[in-house]
Amino acid sequence: MSFIWPDDEWKKVSDIQYWNKKTEGWSGEFGDVEFNEENKEKVDKFLDSVFETGWSSKDIYLFGKHYKSIVFDRPNLKGQKFTYWSSNYGCLALILLPIFLIIGLLIRIGILGRTETIEIEAINKKTTPQQGI
């Protein structure tokens, strides 16, 4: 989990993201968060995937390189999703947009590329509560 560019007193951060080394995907943008009562609930809901439910990613590889990841905020590729496009193709993806749309279709029907599904377990499910307290 990353809190990006917090101010000196940690009352505001520019972005919050969660990620895991098992996948190329990450949570997406949750930008310019001021830690007041309203936003605390939004941050808690955003981080619920990390701590309580777990999350999943569908990583897609094209010609041996990461093409894109579709990250879901729940396990089993369910919930809200965020698509992360690899920087391996950069502006080429915009210039050749029609070709990349066809590539996307060929990936979806299973003719092109390799797909890997990754499940990330919730942090609170990995830890066990202390007994006798």
Side-chain angles (χ1 to χ4, degrees):
M1 186 170 5
S2 298
F3 293 88
I4 299 170
W5 294 310
D7 67 10
D8 291 338
E9 297 175 5
W10 276 83
K11 291 183 179 179
K12 185 176 182 178
V13 295
S14 292
D15 194 6
I16 300 173
Q17 301 170 354
Y18 54 84
W19 52 271
N20 189 291
K21 63 182 176 183
K22 294 179 184 177
T23 177
E24 299 277 349
W26 50 285
S27 64
E29 301 294 329
F30 193 87
D32 282 333
V33 182
E34 193 171 315
F35 290 114
N36 55 34
E37 288 304 313
E38 177 186 339
N39 285 337
K40 283 180 190 177
E41 291 178 25
K42 291 178 184 176
V43 171
D44 284 347
K45 186 176 189 299
F46 178 73
L47 295 177
D48 182 59
S49 302
V50 176
F51 290 103
E52 302 300 331
T53 64
W55 54 285
S56 52
S57 180
K58 183 178 185 179
D59 291 357
I60 301 165
Y61 297 88
L62 188 60
F63 308 118
K65 291 188 176 198
H66 179 255
Y67 177 64
K68 71 178 178 177
S69 292
I70 305 169
V71 175
F72 296 82
D73 68 352
R74 297 289 179 253
N76 303 317
L77 304 178
K78 296 190 190 282
Q80 292 184 349
K81 65 181 179 178
F82 171 79
T83 302
Y84 164 69
W85 295 88
S86 174
S87 60
N88 289 328
Y89 299 95
C91 291
L92 188 62
L94 292 174
I95 295 168
L96 302 174
L97 183 62
I99 293 171
F100 275 83
L101 291 173
I102 293 169
I103 288 171
L105 176 65
L106 294 174
I107 289 170
R108 273 193 303 281
I109 59 177
I111 294 176
L112 189 63
R114 178 178 63 86
T115 302
E116 187 176 329
T117 299
I118 297 100
E119 298 285 330
I120 308 297
E121 191 173 348
I123 290 171
N124 287 342
K125 290 183 181 179
K126 291 187 228 177
T127 59
T128 56
Q130 293 180 352
Q131 301 294 324
I133 295 179

